[in-house]
Amino acid sequence: MATSELQPGTSPHRDSWRRTVLLLRKMRSDVSSLLECYAEKQDLVEPFNFDLIDVDLIDGVPLADVEEWSELSDAERLGSNLQAYWAFQILLDQILEEQRIDLTPEDVAFHESIQSVLLQVSALAYQLEELMVTLKHNVPAKEVKNTSNPDEKSLFEKKLRGMKVLQELGQWTVRSVRDLHKISTAVQASPTTESDSLEK
């Protein structure tokens, strides 16, 4: 397949690429608003240093920060993004369940805000998987690291874990836009018919 057919900057893939970036930007805005609302409703307005919290509390939460970011291949970038958003689907579902049962059982509007972000994460994961197929990358196995049983945590620990999940999700939306921009630039700059970066 010719490179021009695969370039994110050319039709028909340009629209898919643009939709993904637009979704990420909307998610970033919605997650920021949700995080502010979450902190207020859980009475967590003071900043918390998660480095001082039991590591088990944030076990399984994907971290957006990565060493040697510039050295990652296109496949590694997309694969790590996809796996992160798969994990966030599970984590947000846990948060929603905790809010409905234990923390804010009567706040339906708040639950709907969490559900809205969860649906966006699911849609984003689907779009990222499509991009990997389009660019001829192998889609990683859907293996999400097991997290500790949320029922074993105190209410305060559930509140903190939920805030950490939302904070990292917000960071991932920023990283994902950077990743997609770098991949798009690399694909469009490739002079070969079958770009090496697309075959990795």
Side-chain angles (χ1 to χ4, degrees), residues 59-62 81-100 114-115 117-123 125 141-150 153 161-162 165-166 169:
D59 185 43
V61 180
N81 273 268
L82 180 55
Q83 289 177 317
Y85 291 113
W86 278 339
F88 280 120
Q89 285 180 270
I90 295 174
L91 293 167
L92 286 170
D93 191 60
Q94 290 177 354
I95 291 174
L96 181 57
E97 189 72 8
E98 290 167 359
Q99 294 298 320
R100 284 173 170 167
I114 300 173
Q115 181 70 46
V117 170
L118 175 56
L119 291 174
Q120 290 177 52
V121 169
S122 299
K142 193 171 185 179
E143 297 178 356
V144 179
K145 183 178 180 181
N146 290 330
T147 60
S148 55
N149 189 343
K153 297 180 176 63
R161 180 175 172 80
V165 169
L166 294 178
L169 178 56

mmCIF file of all heavy atoms in Angstrom, residues 59-62 81-100 114-115 117-123 125 141-150 153 161-162 165-166 169:
data_model
loop_
_atom_site.group_PDB
_atom_site.id
_atom_site.type_symbol
_atom_site.label_atom_id
_atom_site.label_comp_id
_atom_site.label_asym_id
_atom_site.label_seq_id
_atom_site.Cartn_x
_atom_site.Cartn_y
_atom_site.Cartn_z
ATOM 1 N N ASP A 59 -1.619 0.958 42.723
ATOM 2 C CA ASP A 59 -1.205 -0.172 41.903
ATOM 3 C C ASP A 59 -2.189 -0.362 40.753
ATOM 4 O O ASP A 59 -3.398 -0.370 40.951
ATOM 5 C CB ASP A 59 -1.157 -1.443 42.754
ATOM 6 C CG ASP A 59 -0.626 -2.630 41.971
ATOM 7 O OD1 ASP A 59 0.363 -2.448 41.245
ATOM 8 O OD2 ASP A 59 -1.205 -3.719 42.076
ATOM 9 N N GLY A 60 -1.655 -0.500 39.540
ATOM 10 C CA GLY A 60 -2.508 -0.713 38.382
ATOM 11 C C GLY A 60 -2.937 0.552 37.675
ATOM 12 O O GLY A 60 -3.581 0.483 36.627
ATOM 13 N N VAL A 61 -2.597 1.727 38.225
ATOM 14 C CA VAL A 61 -2.934 2.990 37.565
ATOM 15 C C VAL A 61 -1.827 3.319 36.567
ATOM 16 O O VAL A 61 -0.674 3.508 36.961
ATOM 17 C CB VAL A 61 -3.078 4.138 38.586
ATOM 18 C CG1 VAL A 61 -3.440 5.437 37.863
ATOM 19 C CG2 VAL A 61 -4.131 3.796 39.633
ATOM 20 N N PRO A 62 -2.120 3.384 35.267
ATOM 21 C CA PRO A 62 -1.079 3.657 34.267
ATOM 22 C C PRO A 62 -0.485 5.051 34.451
ATOM 23 O O PRO A 62 -1.223 6.028 34.605
ATOM 24 C CB PRO A 62 -1.829 3.564 32.930
ATOM 25 C CG PRO A 62 -3.107 2.857 33.235
ATOM 26 C CD PRO A 62 -3.443 3.205 34.653
ATOM 27 N N ASN A 81 -0.456 3.564 24.663
ATOM 28 C CA ASN A 81 -1.674 4.359 24.795
ATOM 29 C C ASN A 81 -2.902 3.461 24.874
ATOM 30 O O ASN A 81 -3.763 3.637 25.745
ATOM 31 C CB ASN A 81 -1.808 5.320 23.608
ATOM 32 C CG ASN A 81 -1.087 6.636 23.808
ATOM 33 O OD1 ASN A 81 -1.672 7.604 24.283
ATOM 34 N ND2 ASN A 81 0.189 6.677 23.454
ATOM 35 N N LEU A 82 -2.975 2.502 23.977
ATOM 36 C CA LEU A 82 -4.131 1.613 23.939
ATOM 37 C C LEU A 82 -4.265 0.832 25.243
ATOM 38 O O LEU A 82 -5.355 0.738 25.828
ATOM 39 C CB LEU A 82 -4.006 0.658 22.755
ATOM 40 C CG LEU A 82 -5.141 -0.352 22.558
ATOM 41 C CD1 LEU A 82 -6.490 0.353 22.468
ATOM 42 C CD2 LEU A 82 -4.884 -1.199 21.316
ATOM 43 N N GLN A 83 -3.158 0.287 25.734
ATOM 44 C CA GLN A 83 -3.202 -0.483 26.977
ATOM 45 C C GLN A 83 -3.580 0.392 28.167
ATOM 46 O O GLN A 83 -4.289 -0.047 29.076
ATOM 47 C CB GLN A 83 -1.854 -1.165 27.204
ATOM 48 C CG GLN A 83 -1.593 -2.305 26.230
ATOM 49 C CD GLN A 83 -0.223 -2.928 26.411
ATOM 50 O OE1 GLN A 83 0.773 -2.237 26.587
ATOM 51 N NE2 GLN A 83 -0.162 -4.248 26.373
ATOM 52 N N ALA A 84 -3.113 1.641 28.152
ATOM 53 C CA ALA A 84 -3.453 2.557 29.242
ATOM 54 C C ALA A 84 -4.953 2.821 29.277
ATOM 55 O O ALA A 84 -5.588 2.764 30.341
ATOM 56 C CB ALA A 84 -2.691 3.869 29.085
ATOM 57 N N TYR A 85 -5.545 3.090 28.116
ATOM 58 C CA TYR A 85 -6.976 3.404 28.098
ATOM 59 C C TYR A 85 -7.831 2.171 28.355
ATOM 60 O O TYR A 85 -8.938 2.291 28.895
ATOM 61 C CB TYR A 85 -7.348 4.107 26.793
ATOM 62 C CG TYR A 85 -6.751 5.491 26.719
ATOM 63 C CD1 TYR A 85 -5.764 5.803 25.787
ATOM 64 C CD2 TYR A 85 -7.136 6.474 27.629
ATOM 65 C CE1 TYR A 85 -5.188 7.070 25.744
ATOM 66 C CE2 TYR A 85 -6.566 7.743 27.596
ATOM 67 C CZ TYR A 85 -5.594 8.031 26.652
ATOM 68 O OH TYR A 85 -5.022 9.288 26.629
ATOM 69 N N TRP A 86 -7.344 0.995 28.008
ATOM 70 C CA TRP A 86 -8.038 -0.227 28.428
ATOM 71 C C TRP A 86 -8.083 -0.299 29.954
ATOM 72 O O TRP A 86 -9.107 -0.636 30.543
ATOM 73 C CB TRP A 86 -7.316 -1.456 27.876
ATOM 74 C CG TRP A 86 -7.654 -1.794 26.460
ATOM 75 C CD1 TRP A 86 -8.773 -1.420 25.761
ATOM 76 C CD2 TRP A 86 -6.868 -2.590 25.566
ATOM 77 N NE1 TRP A 86 -8.732 -1.932 24.485
ATOM 78 C CE2 TRP A 86 -7.577 -2.659 24.337
ATOM 79 C CE3 TRP A 86 -5.647 -3.250 25.681
ATOM 80 C CZ2 TRP A 86 -7.092 -3.363 23.236
ATOM 81 C CZ3 TRP A 86 -5.158 -3.955 24.582
ATOM 82 C CH2 TRP A 86 -5.879 -4.008 23.372
ATOM 83 N N ALA A 87 -6.947 0.016 30.588
ATOM 84 C CA ALA A 87 -6.887 -0.013 32.052
ATOM 85 C C ALA A 87 -7.815 1.037 32.656
ATOM 86 O O ALA A 87 -8.504 0.784 33.652
ATOM 87 C CB ALA A 87 -5.452 0.212 32.524
ATOM 88 N N PHE A 88 -7.851 2.225 32.044
ATOM 89 C CA PHE A 88 -8.707 3.285 32.574
ATOM 90 C C PHE A 88 -10.189 2.932 32.458
ATOM 91 O O PHE A 88 -11.001 3.389 33.270
ATOM 92 C CB PHE A 88 -8.421 4.611 31.866
ATOM 93 C CG PHE A 88 -7.200 5.315 32.384
ATOM 94 C CD1 PHE A 88 -6.128 5.587 31.542
ATOM 95 C CD2 PHE A 88 -7.109 5.700 33.716
ATOM 96 C CE1 PHE A 88 -4.999 6.226 32.019
ATOM 97 C CE2 PHE A 88 -5.981 6.340 34.204
ATOM 98 C CZ PHE A 88 -4.917 6.608 33.350
ATOM 99 N N GLN A 89 -10.552 2.137 31.466
ATOM 100 C CA GLN A 89 -11.939 1.684 31.380
ATOM 101 C C GLN A 89 -12.324 0.924 32.650
ATOM 102 O O GLN A 89 -13.401 1.147 33.222
ATOM 103 C CB GLN A 89 -12.127 0.778 30.157
ATOM 104 C CG GLN A 89 -12.160 1.506 28.829
ATOM 105 C CD GLN A 89 -12.350 0.544 27.669
ATOM 106 O OE1 GLN A 89 -11.395 0.032 27.098
ATOM 107 N NE2 GLN A 89 -13.593 0.284 27.323
ATOM 108 N N ILE A 90 -11.460 0.026 33.081
ATOM 109 C CA ILE A 90 -11.722 -0.772 34.281
ATOM 110 C C ILE A 90 -11.695 0.104 35.530
ATOM 111 O O ILE A 90 -12.562 0.006 36.406
ATOM 112 C CB ILE A 90 -10.691 -1.906 34.397
ATOM 113 C CG1 ILE A 90 -10.861 -2.888 33.237
ATOM 114 C CG2 ILE A 90 -10.827 -2.632 35.738
ATOM 115 C CD1 ILE A 90 -9.806 -3.971 33.190
ATOM 116 N N LEU A 91 -10.706 0.987 35.609
ATOM 117 C CA LEU A 91 -10.554 1.837 36.791
ATOM 118 C C LEU A 91 -11.724 2.802 36.947
ATOM 119 O O LEU A 91 -12.231 3.011 38.057
ATOM 120 C CB LEU A 91 -9.238 2.611 36.702
ATOM 121 C CG LEU A 91 -7.971 1.755 36.798
ATOM 122 C CD1 LEU A 91 -6.746 2.559 36.377
ATOM 123 C CD2 LEU A 91 -7.792 1.215 38.209
ATOM 124 N N LEU A 92 -12.163 3.398 35.846
ATOM 125 C CA LEU A 92 -13.298 4.323 35.917
ATOM 126 C C LEU A 92 -14.583 3.589 36.279
ATOM 127 O O LEU A 92 -15.438 4.130 36.990
ATOM 128 C CB LEU A 92 -13.461 5.054 34.583
ATOM 129 C CG LEU A 92 -12.428 6.140 34.288
ATOM 130 C CD1 LEU A 92 -12.554 6.621 32.844
ATOM 131 C CD2 LEU A 92 -12.579 7.320 35.248
ATOM 132 N N ASP A 93 -14.710 2.372 35.797
ATOM 133 C CA ASP A 93 -15.879 1.573 36.153
ATOM 134 C C ASP A 93 -15.886 1.293 37.655
ATOM 135 O O ASP A 93 -16.945 1.327 38.304
ATOM 136 C CB ASP A 93 -15.873 0.268 35.361
ATOM 137 C CG ASP A 93 -17.193 -0.481 35.480
ATOM 138 O OD1 ASP A 93 -18.232 0.079 35.094
ATOM 139 O OD2 ASP A 93 -17.179 -1.627 35.971
ATOM 140 N N GLN A 94 -14.699 1.032 38.223
ATOM 141 C CA GLN A 94 -14.593 0.824 39.667
ATOM 142 C C GLN A 94 -14.961 2.096 40.431
ATOM 143 O O GLN A 94 -15.686 2.048 41.432
ATOM 144 C CB GLN A 94 -13.173 0.391 40.034
ATOM 145 C CG GLN A 94 -12.802 -1.008 39.580
ATOM 146 C CD GLN A 94 -11.360 -1.357 39.898
ATOM 147 O OE1 GLN A 94 -10.590 -0.511 40.364
ATOM 148 N NE2 GLN A 94 -10.987 -2.601 39.659
ATOM 149 N N ILE A 95 -14.454 3.229 39.950
ATOM 150 C CA ILE A 95 -14.760 4.503 40.600
ATOM 151 C C ILE A 95 -16.261 4.766 40.580
ATOM 152 O O ILE A 95 -16.858 5.176 41.585
ATOM 153 C CB ILE A 95 -14.013 5.659 39.902
ATOM 154 C CG1 ILE A 95 -12.514 5.555 40.165
ATOM 155 C CG2 ILE A 95 -14.536 7.016 40.387
ATOM 156 C CD1 ILE A 95 -11.695 6.567 39.386
ATOM 157 N N LEU A 96 -16.874 4.542 39.431
ATOM 158 C CA LEU A 96 -18.308 4.769 39.301
ATOM 159 C C LEU A 96 -19.091 3.895 40.273
ATOM 160 O O LEU A 96 -20.033 4.363 40.934
ATOM 161 C CB LEU A 96 -18.742 4.487 37.858
ATOM 162 C CG LEU A 96 -20.218 4.704 37.531
ATOM 163 C CD1 LEU A 96 -20.647 6.128 37.850
ATOM 164 C CD2 LEU A 96 -20.480 4.380 36.060
ATOM 165 N N GLU A 97 -18.692 2.639 40.385
ATOM 166 C CA GLU A 97 -19.372 1.724 41.297
ATOM 167 C C GLU A 97 -19.202 2.170 42.749
ATOM 168 O O GLU A 97 -20.155 2.128 43.546
ATOM 169 C CB GLU A 97 -18.813 0.306 41.110
ATOM 170 C CG GLU A 97 -19.580 -0.774 41.848
ATOM 171 C CD GLU A 97 -20.937 -1.062 41.233
ATOM 172 O OE1 GLU A 97 -21.232 -0.528 40.140
ATOM 173 O OE2 GLU A 97 -21.713 -1.813 41.846
ATOM 174 N N GLU A 98 -17.998 2.613 43.104
ATOM 175 C CA GLU A 98 -17.745 3.083 44.471
ATOM 176 C C GLU A 98 -18.568 4.324 44.797
ATOM 177 O O GLU A 98 -19.084 4.465 45.912
ATOM 178 C CB GLU A 98 -16.255 3.379 44.644
ATOM 179 C CG GLU A 98 -15.380 2.136 44.641
ATOM 180 C CD GLU A 98 -13.905 2.449 44.503
ATOM 181 O OE1 GLU A 98 -13.554 3.645 44.387
ATOM 182 O OE2 GLU A 98 -13.100 1.503 44.506
ATOM 183 N N GLN A 99 -18.693 5.214 43.818
ATOM 184 C CA GLN A 99 -19.482 6.422 44.045
ATOM 185 C C GLN A 99 -20.960 6.077 44.214
ATOM 186 O O GLN A 99 -21.642 6.626 45.087
ATOM 187 C CB GLN A 99 -19.294 7.402 42.880
ATOM 188 C CG GLN A 99 -17.894 7.972 42.757
ATOM 189 C CD GLN A 99 -17.483 8.792 43.967
ATOM 190 O OE1 GLN A 99 -18.283 9.543 44.530
ATOM 191 N NE2 GLN A 99 -16.239 8.655 44.390
ATOM 192 N N ARG A 100 -21.450 5.177 43.399
ATOM 193 C CA ARG A 100 -22.866 4.811 43.459
ATOM 194 C C ARG A 100 -23.232 4.097 44.756
ATOM 195 O O ARG A 100 -24.307 4.299 45.313
ATOM 196 C CB ARG A 100 -23.222 3.917 42.268
ATOM 197 C CG ARG A 100 -23.360 4.654 40.948
ATOM 198 C CD ARG A 100 -23.548 3.685 39.802
ATOM 199 N NE ARG A 100 -23.916 4.375 38.567
ATOM 200 C CZ ARG A 100 -23.899 3.805 37.366
ATOM 201 N NH1 ARG A 100 -23.521 2.531 37.243
ATOM 202 N NH2 ARG A 100 -24.252 4.492 36.291
ATOM 203 N N ILE A 114 -19.085 10.910 35.409
ATOM 204 C CA ILE A 114 -18.074 9.847 35.363
ATOM 205 C C ILE A 114 -18.368 8.904 34.203
ATOM 206 O O ILE A 114 -17.466 8.501 33.460
ATOM 207 C CB ILE A 114 -18.046 9.066 36.692
ATOM 208 C CG1 ILE A 114 -17.700 10.000 37.856
ATOM 209 C CG2 ILE A 114 -17.036 7.916 36.620
ATOM 210 C CD1 ILE A 114 -17.815 9.353 39.226
ATOM 211 N N GLN A 115 -19.640 8.557 34.033
ATOM 212 C CA GLN A 115 -20.041 7.662 32.946
ATOM 213 C C GLN A 115 -19.702 8.265 31.591
ATOM 214 O O GLN A 115 -19.266 7.563 30.671
ATOM 215 C CB GLN A 115 -21.546 7.396 33.034
ATOM 216 C CG GLN A 115 -22.086 6.460 31.961
ATOM 217 C CD GLN A 115 -21.629 5.027 32.160
ATOM 218 O OE1 GLN A 115 -21.677 4.512 33.274
ATOM 219 N NE2 GLN A 115 -21.190 4.381 31.098
ATOM 220 N N VAL A 117 -17.228 10.329 30.833
ATOM 221 C CA VAL A 117 -15.791 10.192 30.599
ATOM 222 C C VAL A 117 -15.440 8.740 30.289
ATOM 223 O O VAL A 117 -14.609 8.456 29.416
ATOM 224 C CB VAL A 117 -14.992 10.704 31.816
ATOM 225 C CG1 VAL A 117 -13.509 10.348 31.684
ATOM 226 C CG2 VAL A 117 -15.151 12.212 31.963
ATOM 227 N N LEU A 118 -16.078 7.814 30.980
ATOM 228 C CA LEU A 118 -15.842 6.389 30.728
ATOM 229 C C LEU A 118 -16.184 6.026 29.287
ATOM 230 O O LEU A 118 -15.437 5.294 28.617
ATOM 231 C CB LEU A 118 -16.673 5.552 31.700
ATOM 232 C CG LEU A 118 -16.661 4.027 31.515
ATOM 233 C CD1 LEU A 118 -15.246 3.478 31.543
ATOM 234 C CD2 LEU A 118 -17.513 3.363 32.597
ATOM 235 N N LEU A 119 -17.288 6.548 28.778
ATOM 236 C CA LEU A 119 -17.677 6.282 27.392
ATOM 237 C C LEU A 119 -16.672 6.878 26.412
ATOM 238 O O LEU A 119 -16.369 6.281 25.370
ATOM 239 C CB LEU A 119 -19.078 6.839 27.127
ATOM 240 C CG LEU A 119 -20.232 6.121 27.838
ATOM 241 C CD1 LEU A 119 -21.543 6.863 27.609
ATOM 242 C CD2 LEU A 119 -20.346 4.679 27.356
ATOM 243 N N GLN A 120 -16.141 8.050 26.739
ATOM 244 C CA GLN A 120 -15.130 8.670 25.886
ATOM 245 C C GLN A 120 -13.855 7.832 25.857
ATOM 246 O O GLN A 120 -13.224 7.672 24.804
ATOM 247 C CB GLN A 120 -14.827 10.083 26.382
ATOM 248 C CG GLN A 120 -15.956 11.073 26.171
ATOM 249 C CD GLN A 120 -15.632 12.441 26.741
ATOM 250 O OE1 GLN A 120 -14.585 13.016 26.450
ATOM 251 N NE2 GLN A 120 -16.519 12.968 27.565
ATOM 252 N N VAL A 121 -13.471 7.304 27.006
ATOM 253 C CA VAL A 121 -12.283 6.449 27.075
ATOM 254 C C VAL A 121 -12.483 5.197 26.226
ATOM 255 O O VAL A 121 -11.576 4.766 25.497
ATOM 256 C CB VAL A 121 -11.971 6.075 28.538
ATOM 257 C CG1 VAL A 121 -10.906 4.979 28.603
ATOM 258 C CG2 VAL A 121 -11.499 7.300 29.312
ATOM 259 N N SER A 122 -13.670 4.615 26.291
ATOM 260 C CA SER A 122 -13.968 3.425 25.490
ATOM 261 C C SER A 122 -13.895 3.741 23.999
ATOM 262 O O SER A 122 -13.336 2.966 23.211
ATOM 263 C CB SER A 122 -15.362 2.888 25.841
ATOM 264 O OG SER A 122 -15.429 2.506 27.201
ATOM 265 N N ALA A 123 -14.451 4.890 23.611
ATOM 266 C CA ALA A 123 -14.418 5.297 22.205
ATOM 267 C C ALA A 123 -12.987 5.554 21.749
ATOM 268 O O ALA A 123 -12.596 5.197 20.629
ATOM 269 C CB ALA A 123 -15.269 6.552 22.003
ATOM 270 N N ALA A 125 -10.214 4.185 22.969
ATOM 271 C CA ALA A 125 -9.519 2.902 22.842
ATOM 272 C C ALA A 125 -9.854 2.249 21.503
ATOM 273 O O ALA A 125 -8.976 1.698 20.827
ATOM 274 C CB ALA A 125 -9.898 1.981 24.001
ATOM 275 N N ALA A 141 -1.981 -7.608 23.100
ATOM 276 C CA ALA A 141 -2.993 -8.413 23.776
ATOM 277 C C ALA A 141 -3.664 -7.572 24.851
ATOM 278 O O ALA A 141 -3.022 -6.754 25.507
ATOM 279 C CB ALA A 141 -2.348 -9.648 24.396
ATOM 280 N N LYS A 142 -4.943 -7.794 25.016
ATOM 281 C CA LYS A 142 -5.694 -7.007 25.996
ATOM 282 C C LYS A 142 -5.513 -7.618 27.371
ATOM 283 O O LYS A 142 -6.368 -8.336 27.887
ATOM 284 C CB LYS A 142 -7.171 -6.945 25.620
ATOM 285 C CG LYS A 142 -7.952 -5.895 26.395
ATOM 286 C CD LYS A 142 -9.351 -5.731 25.837
ATOM 287 C CE LYS A 142 -10.100 -4.605 26.530
ATOM 288 N NZ LYS A 142 -11.458 -4.408 25.976
ATOM 289 N N GLU A 143 -4.367 -7.315 27.961
ATOM 290 C CA GLU A 143 -4.046 -7.818 29.293
ATOM 291 C C GLU A 143 -3.877 -6.626 30.222
ATOM 292 O O GLU A 143 -2.976 -5.817 30.048
ATOM 293 C CB GLU A 143 -2.759 -8.643 29.268
ATOM 294 C CG GLU A 143 -2.858 -9.895 28.403
ATOM 295 C CD GLU A 143 -1.556 -10.658 28.360
ATOM 296 O OE1 GLU A 143 -0.574 -10.153 28.953
ATOM 297 O OE2 GLU A 143 -1.511 -11.733 27.752
ATOM 298 N N VAL A 144 -4.758 -6.514 31.179
ATOM 299 C CA VAL A 144 -4.712 -5.412 32.134
ATOM 300 C C VAL A 144 -4.242 -5.945 33.471
ATOM 301 O O VAL A 144 -4.724 -6.971 33.950
ATOM 302 C CB VAL A 144 -6.094 -4.748 32.288
ATOM 303 C CG1 VAL A 144 -6.028 -3.617 33.311
ATOM 304 C CG2 VAL A 144 -6.576 -4.222 30.942
ATOM 305 N N LYS A 145 -3.285 -5.248 34.066
ATOM 306 C CA LYS A 145 -2.727 -5.670 35.347
ATOM 307 C C LYS A 145 -3.808 -5.728 36.408
ATOM 308 O O LYS A 145 -4.618 -4.812 36.544
ATOM 309 C CB LYS A 145 -1.629 -4.695 35.782
ATOM 310 C CG LYS A 145 -0.929 -5.085 37.079
ATOM 311 C CD LYS A 145 0.171 -4.091 37.414
ATOM 312 C CE LYS A 145 0.884 -4.466 38.698
ATOM 313 N NZ LYS A 145 1.944 -3.493 39.049
ATOM 314 N N ASN A 146 -3.821 -6.825 37.149
ATOM 315 C CA ASN A 146 -4.803 -6.967 38.219
ATOM 316 C C ASN A 146 -4.551 -5.938 39.309
ATOM 317 O O ASN A 146 -3.411 -5.656 39.669
ATOM 318 C CB ASN A 146 -4.731 -8.370 38.830
ATOM 319 C CG ASN A 146 -5.248 -9.429 37.883
ATOM 320 O OD1 ASN A 146 -6.118 -9.166 37.063
ATOM 321 N ND2 ASN A 146 -4.696 -10.629 37.984
ATOM 322 N N THR A 147 -5.611 -5.369 39.814
ATOM 323 C CA THR A 147 -5.498 -4.427 40.917
ATOM 324 C C THR A 147 -6.037 -5.087 42.173
ATOM 325 O O THR A 147 -6.771 -6.071 42.114
ATOM 326 C CB THR A 147 -6.294 -3.141 40.630
ATOM 327 O OG1 THR A 147 -7.677 -3.483 40.438
ATOM 328 C CG2 THR A 147 -5.775 -2.463 39.368
ATOM 329 N N SER A 148 -5.665 -4.535 43.307
ATOM 330 C CA SER A 148 -6.155 -5.099 44.563
ATOM 331 C C SER A 148 -7.662 -4.903 44.664
ATOM 332 O O SER A 148 -8.232 -4.006 44.048
ATOM 333 C CB SER A 148 -5.458 -4.423 45.750
ATOM 334 O OG SER A 148 -5.615 -3.021 45.684
ATOM 335 N N ASN A 149 -8.296 -5.734 45.428
ATOM 336 C CA ASN A 149 -9.745 -5.691 45.578
ATOM 337 C C ASN A 149 -10.177 -4.348 46.157
ATOM 338 O O ASN A 149 -9.787 -3.999 47.271
ATOM 339 C CB ASN A 149 -10.194 -6.822 46.504
ATOM 340 C CG ASN A 149 -11.707 -6.959 46.532
ATOM 341 O OD1 ASN A 149 -12.434 -6.055 46.131
ATOM 342 N ND2 ASN A 149 -12.175 -8.096 47.016
ATOM 343 N N PRO A 150 -10.990 -3.562 45.399
ATOM 344 C CA PRO A 150 -11.403 -2.257 45.914
ATOM 345 C C PRO A 150 -12.202 -2.350 47.206
ATOM 346 O O PRO A 150 -12.245 -1.401 47.984
ATOM 347 C CB PRO A 150 -12.254 -1.682 44.769
ATOM 348 C CG PRO A 150 -12.673 -2.864 43.956
ATOM 349 C CD PRO A 150 -11.551 -3.846 44.076
ATOM 350 N N LYS A 153 -10.344 -1.606 50.557
ATOM 351 C CA LYS A 153 -9.874 -0.263 50.872
ATOM 352 C C LYS A 153 -10.883 0.475 51.744
ATOM 353 O O LYS A 153 -12.093 0.256 51.662
ATOM 354 C CB LYS A 153 -9.630 0.525 49.587
ATOM 355 C CG LYS A 153 -8.548 -0.060 48.689
ATOM 356 C CD LYS A 153 -8.370 0.788 47.455
ATOM 357 C CE LYS A 153 -7.226 0.257 46.595
ATOM 358 N NZ LYS A 153 -7.503 -1.097 46.094
ATOM 359 N N ARG A 161 -7.610 7.061 45.708
ATOM 360 C CA ARG A 161 -7.314 6.286 44.505
ATOM 361 C C ARG A 161 -8.081 6.847 43.308
ATOM 362 O O ARG A 161 -7.537 6.983 42.212
ATOM 363 C CB ARG A 161 -7.664 4.816 44.715
ATOM 364 C CG ARG A 161 -7.384 3.933 43.500
ATOM 365 C CD ARG A 161 -7.633 2.468 43.828
ATOM 366 N NE ARG A 161 -7.565 1.626 42.658
ATOM 367 C CZ ARG A 161 -6.435 1.190 42.106
ATOM 368 N NH1 ARG A 161 -5.275 1.541 42.634
ATOM 369 N NH2 ARG A 161 -6.457 0.415 41.046
ATOM 370 N N GLY A 162 -9.339 7.199 43.524
ATOM 371 C CA GLY A 162 -10.132 7.775 42.443
ATOM 372 C C GLY A 162 -9.532 9.068 41.929
ATOM 373 O O GLY A 162 -9.499 9.314 40.718
ATOM 374 N N VAL A 165 -6.480 8.280 39.812
ATOM 375 C CA VAL A 165 -6.878 7.769 38.497
ATOM 376 C C VAL A 165 -7.228 8.929 37.565
ATOM 377 O O VAL A 165 -6.778 8.981 36.411
ATOM 378 C CB VAL A 165 -8.078 6.808 38.621
ATOM 379 C CG1 VAL A 165 -8.661 6.492 37.239
ATOM 380 C CG2 VAL A 165 -7.660 5.515 39.315
ATOM 381 N N LEU A 166 -8.007 9.875 38.052
ATOM 382 C CA LEU A 166 -8.409 11.011 37.221
ATOM 383 C C LEU A 166 -7.220 11.907 36.884
ATOM 384 O O LEU A 166 -7.124 12.427 35.763
ATOM 385 C CB LEU A 166 -9.500 11.818 37.925
ATOM 386 C CG LEU A 166 -10.837 11.098 38.109
ATOM 387 C CD1 LEU A 166 -11.813 11.980 38.872
ATOM 388 C CD2 LEU A 166 -11.429 10.695 36.759
ATOM 389 N N LEU A 169 -5.284 10.084 34.198
ATOM 390 C CA LEU A 169 -6.038 10.099 32.946
ATOM 391 C C LEU A 169 -5.862 11.444 32.249
ATOM 392 O O LEU A 169 -5.676 11.507 31.026
ATOM 393 C CB LEU A 169 -7.517 9.824 33.219
ATOM 394 C CG LEU A 169 -8.455 9.865 32.005
ATOM 395 C CD1 LEU A 169 -7.992 8.898 30.918
ATOM 396 C CD2 LEU A 169 -9.884 9.554 32.431
#
